[in-house]
Amino acid sequence: MGQAKDKEQNFQKYVEQIKSNYKYIFNTDEGKQVMSDLEKRCHHHTTTNVKGDSHESAYMEGQRSILLFIKAMLQNENEKDK
């Protein structure tokens, strides 16, 4: 059991470090510019549904899901419930 607990603690430390890195990068002026570009390129404010083309819709939704993942990494824990 001790090994599993150590793995979980190491994983949690890793996740917190990665979140910290995302926040560091995307809180810079350059990071904010990149985020703005990603929002435009990855369909943040538009639909990903392409009528009659489920493959293109899935492709575009995949792009959007990466952007949503990045945004989730930037959220503080207390903001997630809003």
Side-chain angles (χ1 to χ4, degrees):
M1 269 248 209
Q3 226 177 8
K5 188 174 183 176
D6 288 344
K7 283 184 179 182
E8 178 64 25
Q9 287 175 339
N10 287 339
F11 179 73
Q12 289 300 325
K13 285 180 186 177
Y14 170 77
V15 169
E16 290 306 315
Q17 183 60 53
I18 290 296
K19 283 183 179 183
S20 177
N21 292 345
Y22 273 84
K23 288 176 183 180
Y24 174 80
I25 297 298
F26 283 100
N27 280 322
T28 65
D29 288 341
E30 295 84 359
K32 290 174 185 176
Q33 289 174 347
V34 169
M35 179 60 74
S36 178
D37 183 61
L38 288 172
E39 287 175 348
K40 292 171 192 156
R41 292 177 187 273
C42 297
H43 324 288
H44 187 247
H45 301 290
T46 60
T47 184
T48 56
N49 183 43
V50 178
K51 190 173 183 176
D53 192 344
S54 62
H55 295 288
E56 185 66 15
S57 294
Y59 178 78
M60 290 171 61
E61 187 59 26
Q63 291 176 325
R64 185 172 180 271
S65 72
I66 295 297
L67 175 63
L68 295 177
F69 172 80
I70 292 169
K71 286 183 164 284
M73 293 296 276
L74 300 175
Q75 274 187 327
N76 294 323
E77 289 301 314
N78 59 353
E79 293 175 335
K80 289 184 179 180
D81 296 330
K82 292 181 180 178

